[in-house]
């Protein structure tokens, strides 16, 4: 009798814990709703096709990055597409500065949650954080946030700045495990 009672008690506890906890699927559904609510609350205009390189971005215009769920990109400033090198008094060469795989990226950023009045984490200046975040472009072992690499592909050049809405599965490992989406304002340089 004692054994049956104990098995029944364990079974009820198991069922109760299963009903109250969130499954990953439920957490992802909540995250999708949170992103949709953020977009709606801020009146963001979503475009589904990647804008051309000479496109002038509207203040609230975001590109829904093709091939991934709920990742949105807004270009704030394009940066420097060419660099001029003086070869001699009569000749100046232009060098395309498009970022390529394995370039060393130096990044400053601000991160905030998608809820109203969310806290901001800032690594924007040396007063916030002495050293910027550095990683090699397209090296996911140095920077596991896939969304950052997608953003850099769209930013294209050093000195660019963007805003990205990052779902947890494309963010850093802490964001992935807590299923927490964030907005990042990101500015980059390439270290020579």
């Amino acid at each position: 009798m004692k054994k049956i009672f104990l098995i029944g008690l364990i079974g009820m506890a198991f069922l109760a814990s299963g009903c109250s906890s969130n499954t990953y699927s439920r957490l992802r559904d909540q995250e999708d709703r949170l992103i949709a609510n953020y977009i709606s609350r801020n009146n963001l205009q979503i475009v589904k096709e990647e804008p051309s390189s000479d496109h002038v971005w509207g203040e609230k215009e975001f590109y829904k990055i093709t091939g991934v769920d709920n990742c949105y990109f807004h270009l704030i400033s394009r940066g420097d597409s060419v660099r001029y090198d003086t070869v001699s008094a009569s000749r100046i060469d232009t060098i395309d500065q498009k970022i390529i795989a394995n370039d060393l990226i130096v990044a400053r950023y601000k991160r905030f949650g998608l809820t109203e009045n969310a806290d901001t984490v800032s690594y924007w200046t040396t007063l916030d954080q002495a050293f910027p975040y550095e990683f090699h472009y397209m090296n996911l072992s140095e920077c596991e946030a896939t969304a950052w690499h997608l953003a850099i592909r769209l930013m294209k050049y050093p000195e660019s700045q963007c805003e990205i809405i990052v779902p947890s599965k494309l963010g850093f490992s802490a964001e992935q495990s807590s299923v927490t989406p964030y907005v990042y304002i990101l500015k980059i340089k390439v270290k020579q």
Side-chain angles (χ1 to χ4, degrees):
M1 183 73 165
K2 215 185 221 183
K3 203 179 215 180
I4 293 173
F5 177 73
L6 184 60
I7 291 172
L9 191 60
I10 291 172
M12 287 175 50
F14 183 72
L15 283 173
S17 70
C19 293
S20 65
S21 69
N22 280 326
T23 63
Y24 179 72
S25 176
R26 249 188 254 164
L27 291 171
R28 285 282 296 122
D29 288 343
Q30 289 173 358
E31 178 183 45
D32 291 345
R33 285 191 300 275
L34 182 60
I35 292 171
N37 186 334
Y38 177 82
I39 290 168
S40 174
R41 189 174 66 245
N42 290 287
N43 297 314
L44 302 182
Q45 291 119 23
I46 306 302
V47 296
K48 306 242 188 226
E49 290 185 24
E50 184 177 340
S52 63
S53 59
D54 60 347
H55 178 74
V56 177
W57 289 74
E59 184 180 331
K60 294 187 177 255
E61 183 179 22
F62 277 73
Y63 163 56
K64 184 178 187 312
I65 300 175
T66 311
V68 292
D69 291 335
N70 283 330
C71 190
Y72 299 87
F73 172 85
H74 169 76
L75 187 66
I76 297 170
S77 66
R78 172 64 67 198
D80 300 328
S81 60
V82 293
R83 183 182 78 217
Y84 299 99
D85 274 353
T86 305
V87 177
S88 66
S90 62
R91 190 172 131 216
I92 297 176
D93 282 346
T94 59
I95 299 169
D96 181 9
Q97 293 200 113
K98 189 170 183 177
I99 296 171
I100 58 172
N102 216 31
D103 277 350
L104 183 58
I105 304 297
V106 178
R108 289 282 182 183
Y109 65 93
K110 294 178 188 177
R111 181 190 80 187
F112 53 93
L114 276 64
T115 58
E116 292 186 65
N117 304 315
D119 289 334
T120 301
V121 173
S122 182
Y123 295 97
W124 202 249
T125 68
T126 54
L127 294 174
D128 300 325
Q129 178 73 24
F131 299 101
Y133 187 76
E134 293 186 4
F135 62 97
H136 288 92
Y137 174 53
M138 300 304 288
N139 185 334
L140 292 172
S141 65
E142 291 181 4
C143 174
E144 72 268 20
T146 304
W148 280 35
H149 296 277
L150 293 170
I152 290 168
R153 177 181 59 82
L154 294 166
M155 292 163 78
K156 296 181 184 164
Y157 303 108
E159 306 297 332
S160 292
Q161 187 174 329
C162 78
E163 183 173 345
I164 50 175
I165 300 171
V166 180
S168 61
K169 65 183 179 181
L170 299 177
F172 290 95
S173 57
E175 298 159 11
Q176 292 171 18
S177 61
S178 66
V179 191
T180 307
Y182 285 104
V183 172
Y184 284 91
I185 299 173
L186 183 64
K187 63 181 174 180
I188 61 168
K189 295 181 178 194
V190 174
K191 196 171 191 177
Q192 301 298 329

